[in-house]
Amino acid sequence: MPVEHVLQAVHQHTTTAEPVSMFHDYVAGRHRYPYASQAFITRARWILESARANLCPRVVGNFTDRVTLQTWEGAQADEAVELTTRRGLGKVLNLAVGESWTTGDGFVLAWPNRAGTMTPWFHRADQVAYDTDPEDPEAFAWVAKVWVSGRYGRVNVYYDTVVERWATTDPVRHDQASAPNWPDKATAYQPATDDDGPSITYASVSRPAGVPWVHLPLGAAEQGGRGVSILSDVIPLQDALNHALVSSIVNVEQYAAPLRALLNHQPRVMIDPRTGEATEEAIRYDETRNRLLGIKGAGPLTQLDPPSSKNILDVMEAYGSWMARVVGVPASDIVPELGNIPSGASLRTLVSSRTAKVRDYTQDISPQVARLATLLGVPDVWPVWEDPTPQDDTERLDAAIKRQ
């Protein structure tokens, strides 16, 4: 039982947990506030948490909605369709594809359920660590599942023929609100001693050789490498959009009460009886009591108009268009403009970048999806994906006329 694989898995987990958590938070609307001081966060958290226009789910959905498994081809295509519709593979693939575009990596474990039927199990990117086979970068040397059970850390390491189960000797989390503190010493881990024992062999499971996991990466830079989230370049723009909204609300809040400049104010000169020194009267500005400012100079009583917030939609559209350009989708898909949505050949030209990304992705993951079907007991099949840019009626008519 090489405990060094456990330490390697825990190191990967602690490295990836924070960015993966951030990507999930942004999709869910739990945004960070890199532009706000701690004092402002403490004083105006409600503004920060409310003043946001979350475009991250729309960015992710613009790609995942076009990654659709249409059917299967091969010797057991009918069995593969049954596997997809009745044994939950379709739902698991949807979860893994969404995780892949959100965080860069989606993982699926093929493992028997209580009835002994091989079943796909979706896992988040921060739950999985792995190492590739040095002789085959497309294959796993081992895969580890890392999680916290109660207060103790757990690590299951899957090899070709056995899964080894480990647990920390001391708690890694002291309460539900605290982050786990994973140890980095071999002596801090011991074989798990629960009902299933420290290891499980695959002898009783009818399955092909190899580690029973598949990896669905997005745009990995190398064979067997981790993917890159589609939100990597979007989150800074989301922060900038949130900052613009917060700034607008704060400005309006500051100027909502009448702010008057009292001109031609002549402060009184008073003698301090203790020192005999002359002091000039000052008007103190206290936003909790008044909105009065004393300013020297000639002129009438004046009121300053509060800043206008009518341009806030323009700000949202501008940042939405910027996000669209960054990820390569039409701006109308991020910020729809009524009456200005392209179609036909013009839309096909605008979505060419997105189409290329989706097709590259489905081409990359197809061998893994086929292997997943094999792990689940349906070999010799290949997934067929829907066209990410199907033709509309006008284009089909034009194509038919040309063929005729």
Side-chain angles (χ1 to χ4, degrees):
M1 289 187 175
V3 72
E4 61 268 18
H5 291 168
V6 176
L7 298 178
Q8 186 176 346
V10 168
H11 176 71
Q12 281 191 42
H13 168 75
T14 55
T15 302
T16 60
E18 172 56 25
V20 167
S21 177
M22 180 185 67
F23 291 133
H24 280 288
D25 283 347
Y26 269 79
V27 169
R30 299 185 295 269
H31 296 172
R32 315 293 170 87
Y33 318 117
Y35 47 82
S37 66
Q38 187 58 48
F40 184 80
I41 292 176
T42 302
R43 181 167 60 92
R45 176 175 291 275
W46 69 272
I47 295 178
L48 293 171
E49 293 177 348
S50 301
R52 56 179 174 78
N54 190 11
L55 299 182
C56 293
R58 190 173 296 174
V59 170
V60 174
N62 253 271
F63 292 92
T64 57
D65 289 349
R66 289 159 178 80
V67 182
T68 304
L69 181 61
Q70 183 178 32
T71 187
W72 296 82
E73 59 183 14
Q76 299 191 62
D78 292 341
E79 290 81 354
V81 172
E82 178 78 8
L83 174 67
T84 304
T85 56
R86 298 198 176 238
R87 285 171 54 188
L89 178 59
K91 179 179 180 179
V92 169
L93 282 179
N94 287 340
L95 291 171
V97 167
E99 180 76 2
S100 182
W101 287 88
T102 299
T103 68
D105 300 281
F107 294 91
V108 182
L109 165 67
W111 197 252
N113 59 16
R114 293 183 182 275
T117 304
M118 291 296 292
T119 305
W121 304 88
F122 161 72
H123 285 75
R124 284 177 32 148
D126 56 349
Q127 296 175 311
V128 181
Y130 67 92
D131 193 13
T132 56
D133 188 332
E135 297 181 359
D136 183 3
E138 297 289 349
F140 291 123
W142 53 265
V143 177
K145 176 180 177 180
V146 185
W147 80 104
V148 177
S149 177
R151 296 191 301 154
Y152 289 82
R154 295 292 305 271
V155 182
N156 284 2
V157 186
Y158 296 76
Y159 299 98
D160 286 345
T161 58
V162 65
V163 52
E164 297 175 354
R165 307 167 70 245
W166 297 80
T168 58
T169 57
D170 296 312
V172 298
R173 173 181 284 161
H174 298 287
D175 56 70
Q176 292 298 322
S178 62
N181 183 19
W182 290 88
D184 57 1
K185 297 183 182 300
T187 55
Y189 297 88
Q190 63 183 359
T193 56
D194 50 15
D195 296 340
D196 294 329
S199 64
I200 302 174
T201 62
Y202 300 155
S204 60
V205 180
S206 177
R207 51 173 293 276
V211 181
W213 286 82
V214 297
H215 179 201
L216 308 182
L218 172 65
E222 59 185 7
Q223 288 179 291
R226 292 226 174 221
V228 180
S229 169
I230 195 67
L231 298 177
S232 295
D233 295 326
V234 171
I235 285 178
L237 298 177
Q238 180 68 65
D239 288 335
L241 170 57
N242 292 349
H243 182 229
L245 297 178
V246 168
S247 299
S248 176
I249 291 175
V250 170
N251 285 340
V252 172
E253 177 73 13
Q254 288 291 96
Y255 289 89
L259 176 61
R260 298 178 175 86
L262 180 61
L263 305 183
N264 199 23
H265 170 67
Q266 299 296 329
R268 294 182 301 169
V269 178
M270 297 178 293
I271 304 298
D272 189 335
R274 295 174 299 175
T275 63
E277 294 182 356
T279 59
E280 188 176 88
E281 175 193 29
I283 295 181
R284 303 296 181 186
Y285 172 69
D286 182 358
E287 67 176 7
T288 64
R289 299 177 59 186
N290 61 63
R291 294 281 181 171
L292 190 65
L293 294 180
I295 303 174
K296 291 182 179 180
L301 183 66
T302 304
Q303 178 172 326
L304 304 180
D305 293 332
S308 173
S309 59
K310 66 179 181 179
N311 294 328
I312 206 160
L313 291 179
D314 294 336
V315 171
M316 292 175 58
E317 290 182 1
Y319 277 107
S321 298
W322 194 352
M323 291 180 187
R325 290 195 299 270
V326 165
V327 298
V329 301
S332 58
D333 282 5
I334 304 299
V335 185
E337 298 172 307
L338 189 60
N340 192 26
I341 300 177
S343 61
S346 60
L347 176 61
R348 194 174 294 276
T349 301
L350 289 174
V351 303
S352 58
S353 176
R354 177 178 63 196
T355 301
K357 288 181 181 179
V358 171
R359 285 179 174 161
D360 287 346
Y361 175 74
T362 54
Q363 181 178 1
D364 290 344
I365 69 171
S366 288
Q368 293 295 322
V369 175
R371 180 172 178 272
L372 178 59
T374 301
L375 289 170
L376 297 173
V378 184
D380 302 323
V381 291
W382 193 260
V384 178
W385 308 93
E386 289 187 2
D387 185 356
T389 53
Q391 293 183 334
D392 59 20
D393 292 341
T394 302
E395 291 177 302
R396 285 195 293 269
L397 177 60
D398 289 342
I401 292 175
K402 290 179 181 178
R403 288 196 299 271
Q404 182 64 32

